[in-house]
Amino acid sequence: MKKVAIVYDFDKTLCTKDMQEYSLIPSLGYENTVDFWNEVTEVAVRNEMDSISAYLYLLARKFQEAGQPLKKSYFYDKGKDIVLFDGVETWFQRINEYGRKAGFLVEHYIISSGMREIIKSTSIADEFKRIFACRYYYDETHTATWPAQIVNYTAKTQYIFRINKQVLDITDDADLNKFVPHAERPIPFERMIYVADGLTDVPCMRLVKEYGGKSIAVYSKSDSVAKQLKREGRVNFIAKADYTEHSEMDQLVKKILDHMKADEALKDIEGR
């Protein structure tokens, strides 16, 4: 059975805001989470740092200043506080079943600049084939000591190619960089859907779209950013972040799967 990959950002794509804002940042004493992100920007600008590196650094420093070791278990405890958009918890089963009827094995992936441990502790973690996200290196006491994986906006594209070639071990660079004709890759771009919420995901959305896949910009309240991305040709579609059955998003992804089914049928006829 041929595979289809649906790749998601996480923050403001599957959940209602940045995952750190539910309880992680407030646990450091911030009444307004914007204050933390402003400090991240200040650190990044002052030190000419990548903004994702800056937030990982500042997070670890704030815990150190509070005299509280930043443990792996602390992140795992935060997943229960995540608020998912309507329909997300039943989304995967519905789309998987629809894909099977179309002749596809649908696989779901996360590429996020958020914390992998937080995502892995959510109720939907088992729905994903892989979760590519930021994480720390933890010493023998399970205390964070150094960033082990930094997933910034442009680095996200690496993971698109890992999914495309099915080189999912992030330590395997040799196979990732090995030449493989597009038609021979396990999940060609034409059978990929990228779902995200905004400007930070433009490199991935544009990459998937340009190589023949479909990209969807989702929005929760204002659709202005999504419409801008559509107007500029960076995404194929926009949809409200409502994943319930019969919603705009539900119907859109099912139509894309129908389109993929027709394309594969035509390829089979063409190859006879």
Side-chain angles (χ1 to χ4, degrees), residues 21-125:
E21 296 182 357
Y22 292 101
S23 57
L24 181 61
I25 294 174
S27 73
L28 291 169
Y30 288 90
E31 293 185 6
N32 191 338
T33 57
V34 172
D35 294 335
F36 174 82
W37 297 119
N38 287 340
E39 288 185 50
V40 168
T41 300
E42 182 183 341
V43 168
V45 171
R46 185 173 67 248
N47 297 283
E48 298 183 2
M49 292 174 69
D50 172 84
S51 61
I52 306 302
S53 300
Y55 107 69
L56 291 171
Y57 161 76
L58 188 63
L59 190 62
R61 196 187 80 188
K62 290 294 182 180
F63 273 87
Q64 184 181 39
E65 291 174 351
Q68 183 177 349
L70 185 51
K71 300 280 190 178
K72 181 186 289 190
S73 59
Y74 190 80
F75 290 117
Y76 277 114
D77 186 53
K78 298 303 173 187
K80 68 180 186 301
D81 300 318
I82 299 295
V83 179
L84 301 169
F85 282 119
D86 290 343
V88 168
E89 290 194 334
T90 61
W91 164 261
F92 304 97
Q93 182 178 351
R94 282 185 279 111
I95 295 302
N96 292 349
E97 179 60 26
Y98 196 89
R100 274 192 293 272
K101 291 179 180 178
F104 297 124
L105 173 63
V106 179
E107 294 183 346
H108 306 270
Y109 295 83
I110 290 286
I111 304 177
S112 170
S113 295
M115 300 303 303
R116 190 177 75 165
E117 286 84 0
I118 294 179
I119 300 171
K120 285 175 71 70
S121 64
T122 64
S123 60
I124 58 173

Side-chain angles (χ1 to χ4, degrees), residues 9 152-154 156-157 160 194-210 215-217 225-226 228-230 232-236:
D9 179 35
N152 65 16
Y153 314 129
T154 53
K156 283 186 172 187
T157 58
I160 294 291
Y194 192 87
V195 183
D197 69 288
L199 295 173
T200 58
D201 288 283
V202 163
C204 284
M205 292 192 285
R206 186 64 181 263
L207 173 68
V208 171
K209 178 178 181 288
E210 292 298 313
S215 58
I216 305 171
V225 173
Q228 176 187 342
L229 294 173
K230 179 69 167 62
E232 294 172 349
R234 301 184 182 197
V235 299
N236 298 96

Side-chain angles (χ1 to χ4, degrees), residues 147-194:
Q149 191 172 4
I150 298 173
V151 182
N152 65 16
Y153 314 129
T154 53
K156 283 186 172 187
T157 58
Q158 169 196 160
Y159 303 103
I160 294 291
F161 284 102
R162 286 192 179 279
I163 295 165
N164 172 233
K165 293 183 176 182
Q166 289 292 275
V167 182
L168 304 180
D169 179 355
I170 65 168
T171 66
D172 187 352
D173 294 329
D175 286 336
L176 176 63
N177 293 312
K178 188 182 297 182
F179 174 74
V180 180
H182 285 285
E184 296 177 15
R185 297 181 184 184
I187 306 183
F189 286 101
E190 293 88 347
R191 296 204 304 272
M192 296 180 72
I193 304 171
Y194 192 87

